[in-house]
């Protein structure tokens, strides 16, 4: 899984994890869902909003909402897709209230540089405009690309998180790669889906 970048350079997962005391009174399924998705939600929200405080506030709101509607959420045809839609909606609402632009361009570039491999640095330098182009992708393609290439989740993790099939993730990546190739003249060979 990708590395969550906070402004204070600390790992928020311990700070925001459901405490053992609360876990005893919360529905077991909710605690498991929270544990499984919390860090990825934080990483996504941080990339979208550019601030760890904003990400934590939004993700806390999402999980509070999910807890309030938990019995109904469990009746949804796809709990993960329902929860992912809530995260996207909460991020958009926060952005609208705060007049926050999409932060992907700066936060993703910083995250890529901080991870620091030579390959990643060359990628960022040689593909100027790639993050700007990613930000213009349709929502589902954007999310899949962000989760796969910026946060660096595996296909199965992306599928689980968004509540879609792994084949759909691969299809979105393929389509997004074609769109990016056209937009920024990205040279790629179909089937090499792991590198942008």
């Amino acid at each position: 899984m990708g590395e969550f970048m906070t402004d204070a350079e600390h790992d928020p997962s311990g700070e925001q994890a459901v405490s053992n005391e609360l876990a005893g009174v919360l529905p077991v399924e909710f605690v498991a869902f929270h544990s499984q998705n919390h860090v990825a939600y934080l990483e996504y929200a941080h990339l979208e909003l550019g601030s760890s405080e904003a990400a934590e506030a939004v993700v806390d709101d999402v999980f509070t909402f999910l807890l309030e509607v938990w019995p109904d959420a469990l009746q949804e045809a796809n709990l993960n897709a329902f929860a992912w839609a809530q995260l996207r909606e909460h991020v958009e609402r926060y952005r609208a209230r705060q007049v926050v632009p999409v932060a992907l361009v700066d936060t993703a570039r910083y995250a890529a540089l901080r991870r620091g491999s030579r390959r990643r640095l060359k990628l960022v330098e040689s593909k100027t405009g790639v993050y700007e182009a990613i930000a213009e992708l349709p929502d589902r393609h954007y999310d899949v690309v962000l989760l796969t290439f910026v946060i660096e989740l595996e296909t199965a993790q992306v599928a689980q998180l968004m509540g879609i099939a792994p084949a759909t993730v691969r299809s979105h990546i393929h389509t997004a790669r074609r769109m990016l190739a056209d937009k920024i003249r990205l040279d790629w060979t179909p089937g090499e889906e792991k590198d942008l």
Side-chain angles (χ1 to χ4, degrees), residues 31-139:
V31 173
F33 183 85
H34 181 279
S35 297
Q36 186 175 29
N37 296 293
H38 185 256
V39 172
Y41 279 27
L42 281 173
E43 289 177 329
Y44 178 86
H46 184 255
L47 284 170
E48 286 288 277
L49 301 172
S51 157
S52 62
E53 289 87 10
E56 290 169 8
V58 166
V59 172
D60 283 350
D61 286 349
V62 170
F63 280 107
T64 299
F65 170 79
L66 290 173
L67 182 59
E68 289 171 359
V69 300
W70 191 247
D72 293 328
L74 289 175
Q75 300 304 312
E76 289 288 328
N78 187 324
L79 173 62
N80 289 327
F82 173 76
W84 187 257
Q86 297 308 312
L87 174 62
R88 284 191 60 82
E89 185 178 317
H90 279 74
V91 165
E92 287 303 318
R93 269 193 264 151
Y94 183 91
R95 187 181 290 123
R97 283 194 316 266
Q98 304 297 322
V99 191
V100 176
V102 174
L104 167 70
V105 173
D106 294 328
T107 57
R109 188 172 290 135
Y110 174 73
L113 290 170
R114 185 160 185 273
R115 279 193 290 273
S117 71
R118 284 188 185 277
R119 187 177 148 284
R120 182 66 67 183
L121 287 170
K122 287 179 185 170
L123 180 70
V124 171
E125 291 169 5
S126 68
K127 305 273 174 28
T128 302
V130 73
Y131 292 123
E132 290 86 350
I134 290 170
E136 295 175 11
L137 289 171
D139 289 348

Side-chain angles (χ1 to χ4, degrees), residues 124-177:
V124 171
E125 291 169 5
S126 68
K127 305 273 174 28
T128 302
V130 73
Y131 292 123
E132 290 86 350
I134 290 170
E136 295 175 11
L137 289 171
D139 289 348
R140 301 275 287 202
H141 297 86
Y142 171 84
D143 288 348
V144 166
V145 167
L146 191 72
L147 293 169
T148 302
F149 298 108
V150 180
I151 299 177
E152 298 182 337
L153 298 178
E154 295 297 322
T155 299
Q157 293 172 295
V158 174
Q160 178 273 319
L161 197 63
M162 292 180 65
I164 59 179
T168 304
V169 172
R170 289 188 292 274
S171 174
H172 286 335
I173 290 170
H174 181 78
T175 303
R177 300 259 332 225

